[in-house]
Amino acid sequence: MTTTVGQYLSARLGQIGLKHHFAVAGDFNLILLDELLAEGSTKQIYSCNELNCGYSAEGYGRANGAAAMVVTFSVGALSAMNAIGSAYAENVPVIIVSGAPNTNDHGTGHLLHHTLGNTNYGYQAEMMRHITCAAEVIFSAEHAPQQIDNAIRTALRERKPAYIEIPCNLANAACAAPGPVSSLLSEPAADPASLDAALEETGRFLYARDKVVLLVGSRMRASGVIDLLPALADRMGCAVTVMAAAKGFFPEDHPAYRGVYWGEVSSPGAQELVESADGILCLGPIFNDYATVGWRATLKPENTLLADLHGITVNGRVFEGFSIRQYLEALSARAPRRAGSAETPRQPLPTIAPAPRDARLTNDEMTRQINTLIDGNTTLTAETGDSWFNAVRMDLPGGAKVESEMQWGSIGWSVPAALGGALGAPDRRHVLMVGDGSFQLTAQEVAQMVRYELPIIIFLVNNHGYVIEIKIHDGPYNYIKNWDYAGLIAAFNAEDGHGLGLRATTAGELAGAIEQAKANTRGPTLIECDLDRSDCTETLVKWGTKVAAANGRAPKVN
């Protein structure tokens, strides 16, 4: 049996569980897009530009386990690289496919459009190799199946993006048809000797400790075993905290949950609990400057077991040859009970009293009302900035999810990411919190929410500038031109859309807007929340001061 290169790729994307792929058309990928449509395993979703396309794919990959996007050569793929960097940093397997020049133009001296103006057409793949786990440049239809499979297999195993470059004259060239997909989806078997030794060393670590805490990090999203954590906590009998970027990775209504550990801006009691523990099981953490509040929150190595995606470090020894899934599955069956930390009661989050309906809208009241909207079937996407801190201080029901981008931290990510998440998990309610400055970077993608009738509820926090940057380091560059954000929806709707644009200046107006949003099921609802520029969380101010101090350290003198 034979197929075409483009249809082979399309079939594989469907086989790994994708129902959609994202695309921006360009003349080097048009035949490829035709082939994907003809094979039809995944629905083609169009983006306003390649950056938004990549962020949408990244959001889809978070919800669905993997994602794919198709762009054109150079002018398209280079624009997408910011989003691919995000997928790499955040451990999301996005397959980025780029159309490319005709194979006959290589080595001829032909000067092509959409290039750097020279005849070396390998620069794009070379760039992509730095932000992907596999980069395949296809030059023959015969070898295309193996190269496509290698890119997809590596992305799924490494939980990183992968790159496939398909010349425009090979997209419809004949190649072998795909066989079973099991080899792409299967996880390599664990090294039994290494895994057993790791578990024995883990046992020695735990038995020697009186007060053990589980600390869940953001890389656990990529592990695929978040659902195992409650059972592990039950077996061990210990308390559980999560890092800020892992908010929602452990059910907050579970009796073991003790809040968010974020150094000096932790949930009440969480910092003392973690930093006083003599045994900390760190599962998939990222200890960057943001997570450590400018390198101020550090854990003692001798008290810490570090479990990453492909191995663990414990008692000064490193064990590899197995995945974190295989390790935690085995640990859940063998872990000793260590209940010391569980005796420390959970301290409640500060409550926010409801404001009078005619009161000027505040950040606290906005957060309180959004919190009441969230149920166990809600995904909350929180943009870089005060939305992080508002999400962290919410008290979430079990099943609620939070998506943020604290490692890459590129403003504007959340709008297209929420679109991708809504397509990847259509049965969930999707709520987005985004600031006005971030929104201006990727606002066009709301038009695609209108196009695909996605009922995302957007809380546009209009505090008239880049407030997170103002708190870190102020300057005239942090102040932006105000828009009529709610008014944009009418333009995006044009003659056939069902989006809704609302504006709230009081507590009562916000409550009414939320009720209208819940009833609007055929498109997005954007609620512009008008806040004073100085109105933000106390934790943002405290955190921003510490991060600014870390950024401002003087150079070392040799």
Side-chain angles (χ1 to χ4, degrees):
M1 294 178 62
T2 61
T3 185
T4 67
V5 172
Q7 293 195 28
Y8 185 99
L9 171 65
S10 179
R12 281 302 199 213
L13 295 179
Q15 286 176 323
I16 66 169
L18 274 59
K19 294 180 174 62
H20 308 82
H21 66 271
F22 298 86
V24 178
D27 54 356
F28 286 124
N29 72 13
L30 298 178
I31 300 301
L32 175 59
L33 294 177
D34 287 343
E35 293 297 303
L36 293 169
L37 288 170
E39 199 279 333
S41 287
T42 57
K43 181 179 179 181
Q44 211 161 81
I45 302 294
Y46 305 108
S47 302
C48 293
N49 60 54
E50 288 84 1
L51 175 63
N52 292 359
C53 185
Y55 284 150
S56 295
E58 202 251 43
Y60 187 93
R62 288 169 179 247
N64 192 61
M69 58 182 292
V70 184
V71 295
T72 196
F73 191 72
S74 204
V75 295
L78 269 59
S79 181
M81 287 184 72
N82 185 4
I84 298 304
S86 174
Y88 192 95
E90 302 286 336
N91 295 100
V92 182
V94 174
I95 314 299
I96 176 169
V97 184
S98 175
N102 189 297
T103 56
N104 294 303
D105 288 317
H106 290 265
T108 64
H110 292 168
L111 195 62
L112 299 175
H113 68 289
H114 289 346
T115 70
L116 296 177
N118 59 43
T119 58
N120 173 15
Y121 304 131
Y123 61 88
Q124 179 171 293
E126 181 58 33
M127 292 178 180
M128 285 291 180
R129 287 189 177 95
H130 293 276
I131 54 173
T132 60
C133 63
E136 295 286 353
V137 181
I138 294 172
F139 281 114
S140 78
E142 179 185 1
H143 297 136
Q146 291 82 4
Q147 290 181 275
I148 291 170
D149 283 0
N150 180 64
I152 294 174
R153 179 188 304 110
T154 307
L156 295 179
R157 289 183 178 179
E158 298 296 322
R159 313 307 295 174
K160 297 283 189 182
Y163 174 71
I164 302 172
E165 187 173 302
I166 301 178
C168 55
N169 62 324
L170 291 184
N172 60 357
C175 69
V181 74
S182 55
S183 65
L184 302 188
L185 299 175
S186 60
E187 186 175 62
D191 178 337
S194 182
L195 178 57
D196 192 60
L199 292 167
E200 289 183 5
E201 196 67 36
T202 299
R204 283 189 282 270
F205 175 85
L206 293 174
Y207 277 118
R209 267 73 186 171
D210 294 321
K211 188 177 179 183
V212 175
V213 178
L214 284 178
L215 177 60
V216 180
S218 60
R219 283 203 175 111
M220 286 304 293
R221 179 196 300 106
S223 72
V225 292
I226 289 177
D227 291 345
L228 288 180
L229 297 180
L232 178 62
D234 290 342
R235 180 178 178 90
M236 294 180 62
C238 63
V240 180
T241 59
V242 301
M243 299 180 73
K247 172 78 172 179
F249 286 15
F250 190 87
E252 298 188 8
D253 54 359
H254 190 283
Y257 181 69
R258 295 294 184 274
V260 174
Y261 173 69
W262 200 355
E264 297 167 59
V265 294
S266 298
S267 301
Q271 182 181 17
E272 295 79 7
L273 175 67
V274 171
E275 294 179 3
S276 67
D278 61 357
I280 307 166
L281 268 67
C282 284
L283 307 179
I286 295 180
F287 291 114
N288 62 15
D289 52 340
Y290 276 11
T292 60
V293 196
W295 310 117
R296 295 171 64 87
T298 56
L299 305 178
K300 295 178 181 178
E302 63 271 20
N303 290 342
T304 303
L305 182 155
L306 179 63
D308 214 337
L309 295 181
H310 301 290
I312 72 162
T313 302
V314 56
N315 290 337
R317 301 180 67 189
V318 175
F319 300 88
E320 297 180 335
F322 49 85
S323 69
I324 195 170
R325 167 191 283 276
Q326 293 160 337
Y327 171 72
L328 290 181
E329 286 177 343
L331 184 62
S332 294
R334 294 173 53 171
R337 186 170 181 83
R338 275 295 183 254
S341 61
E343 298 167 359
T344 303
R346 178 183 178 185
Q347 296 186 29
L349 293 170
T351 58
I352 302 173
R357 290 185 61 85
D358 60 350
R360 177 78 165 85
L361 185 61
T362 64
N363 185 55
D364 282 350
E365 176 62 16
M366 179 192 70
T367 302
R368 186 193 69 80
Q369 291 198 32
I370 295 173
N371 202 160
T372 62
L373 173 66
I374 296 171
D375 60 18
N377 194 44
T378 298
T379 296
L380 173 65
T381 300
E383 175 62 75
T384 297
D386 207 18
S387 294
W388 285 349
F389 297 90
N390 281 328
V392 163
R393 64 176 175 152
M394 289 183 183
D395 191 1
L396 301 180
K401 296 181 179 180
V402 176
E403 295 294 350
S404 61
E405 191 208 34
M406 288 195 184
Q407 173 58 36
W408 192 243
S410 181
I411 64 171
W413 159 85
S414 67
V415 176
L419 181 152
L423 287 166
D427 295 332
R428 295 181 66 84
R429 169 182 284 165
H430 292 269
V431 174
L432 165 63
M433 293 191 302
V434 57
D436 52 334
S438 298
F439 182 79
Q440 288 194 9
L441 273 75
T442 53
Q444 316 94 313
E445 226 53 31
V446 176
Q448 304 297 359
M449 298 179 189
V450 172
R451 178 180 189 172
Y452 296 109
E453 298 189 353
L454 299 174
I456 300 167
I457 303 176
I458 304 168
F459 291 90
L460 189 290
V461 185
N462 187 0
N463 47 20
H464 309 279
Y466 297 120
V467 171
I468 187 172
E469 298 295 346
I470 291 170
K471 300 303 178 183
I472 293 176
H473 183 91
D474 200 6
Y477 30 76
N478 290 327
Y479 301 88
I480 61 177
K481 173 68 178 71
N482 193 43
W483 292 1
D484 179 4
Y485 297 100
L488 287 175
I489 302 301
F492 290 147
N493 279 339
E495 71 284 350
D496 60 354
H498 301 280
L500 189 60
L502 305 170
R503 189 167 184 264
T505 61
T506 68
E509 288 174 354
L510 180 57
I514 289 175
E515 290 306 309
Q516 291 184 66
K518 290 160 66 175
N520 181 28
T521 60
R522 292 196 60 191
T525 299
L526 185 150
I527 304 173
E528 180 183 348
C529 301
D530 188 72
L531 304 182
D532 186 86
R533 180 177 289 143
S534 62
D535 186 6
C536 64
T537 60
E538 293 180 6
T539 47
L540 170 61
V541 177
K542 186 175 183 179
W543 175 89
T545 301
K546 306 302 182 184
V547 171
N551 289 345
R553 288 170 296 167
K556 290 183 178 179
V557 178
N558 294 327

